Amino acid sequence: MSLRKYLTSRVFFAQALAALVILAVLSYLFMHWLTFTTDHGHEITVPNLAKLTEEQVEEKLDELDLDYVLLDSVDYNSDYPKYSVVEQDPLPGAKVKEGRKVYIKINASGFSSVRIPDLIDKTYREAVPTLKALGLEEGTITYIPNLGKDMVLEMRYKGRNVKAGDRVLKASKIDLVLGDGKESYVEEVDSTATPPIEELPNEQ
């Protein structure tokens, strides 16, 4: 039988149809296997773990077939209980597969201490960003007579004077005493000084 007659014969069409059926069945089985192995379509919503302790996190994620990894503790945040979750990744509401790890960061047990920077003779505009960079806050501002307008003359903490290098807790408020720029020098005359003696004219 010639090739042309074979390609137009019923045998060829029957074999081609059988091949297509086999291919379709194999494709279906492959997709079904792929769906099973990747757990496609079965996703878990990540819960909100904020303010939970590590023990509570473990219990909650176990119920959802999820795991967690503790990355580190962060600087104390007064908005969260001690040793509770402050940050998580993935975020709450994210869709993940079973067994996915959720990375968490825990709140520290309290504020750490920092050294007070040297702000004396710095301007108010320089002092405030320096305080904030160290996690400190601007407290009460007081002005006293001094030629240096808005110049830091003293630093105080809870009513007492402090100096550069003293340690306070983060988030502490540092009161600043500034110059008002209004002091002027006045030449004082000593009223007790002996007046100069006038020379008397010589008698002729």
Side-chain angles (χ1 to χ4, degrees):
M1 180 183 293
S2 64
L3 178 61
R4 182 176 181 181
K5 287 183 179 182
Y6 172 72
L7 293 176
T8 57
S9 66
R10 290 183 179 181
V11 176
F12 172 76
F13 285 112
Q15 291 177 341
L17 181 61
L20 290 175
V21 170
I22 294 173
L23 182 61
V25 171
L26 290 176
S27 298
Y28 172 78
L29 293 175
F30 176 75
M31 293 302 297
H32 186 71
W33 173 82
L34 188 62
T35 300
F36 176 77
T37 54
T38 60
D39 203 19
H40 180 70
H42 181 62
E43 295 181 322
I44 301 170
T45 302
V46 177
N48 187 359
L49 305 176
K51 299 184 178 181
L52 298 183
T53 64
E54 189 175 352
E55 291 77 13
Q56 291 172 325
V57 167
E58 183 175 9
E59 182 179 348
K60 191 164 190 174
L61 294 183
D62 278 346
E63 294 174 354
L64 299 172
D65 293 323
L66 297 176
D67 199 358
Y68 78 96
V69 175
L70 176 60
L71 292 179
D72 198 1
S73 62
V74 299
D75 287 341
Y76 180 68
N77 186 331
S78 58
D79 294 332
Y80 293 81
K82 296 178 181 179
Y83 304 115
S84 69
V85 175
V86 176
E87 300 177 18
Q88 69 177 87
D89 180 34
L91 296 174
K95 302 292 185 180
V96 298
K97 299 291 192 308
E98 181 180 333
R100 171 67 187 271
K101 292 180 179 179
V102 180
Y103 298 90
I104 61 174
K105 290 185 179 181
I106 298 293
N107 197 21
S109 60
F111 289 114
S112 57
S113 65
V114 294
R115 292 185 183 276
I116 297 177
D118 187 4
L119 303 179
I120 302 300
D121 293 336
K122 294 185 181 295
T123 64
Y124 171 76
R125 287 188 176 183
E126 294 173 324
V128 172
T130 302
L131 288 175
K132 290 183 177 180
L134 294 172
L136 300 173
E137 297 181 13
E138 169 191 348
T140 303
I141 303 300
T142 306
Y143 287 90
I144 62 175
N146 189 276
L147 282 176
K149 182 172 174 57
D150 292 330
M151 191 77 71
V152 178
L153 304 175
E154 297 177 22
M155 300 181 294
R156 296 174 182 171
Y157 175 64
K158 293 185 176 181
R160 62 182 178 85
N161 280 25
V162 291
K163 62 183 183 300
D166 289 347
R167 284 193 171 275
V168 294
L169 295 178
K170 273 192 175 182
S172 296
K173 291 185 177 182
I174 305 300
D175 301 329
L176 301 177
V177 179
L178 309 178
D180 61 6
K182 295 180 180 179
E183 185 180 42
S184 60
Y185 291 110
V186 179
E187 184 177 353
E188 297 183 357
V189 177
D190 188 354
S191 59
T192 61
T194 303
I197 300 176
E198 296 182 2
E199 285 189 14
L200 297 178
N202 292 330
E203 293 183 0
Q204 300 294 334

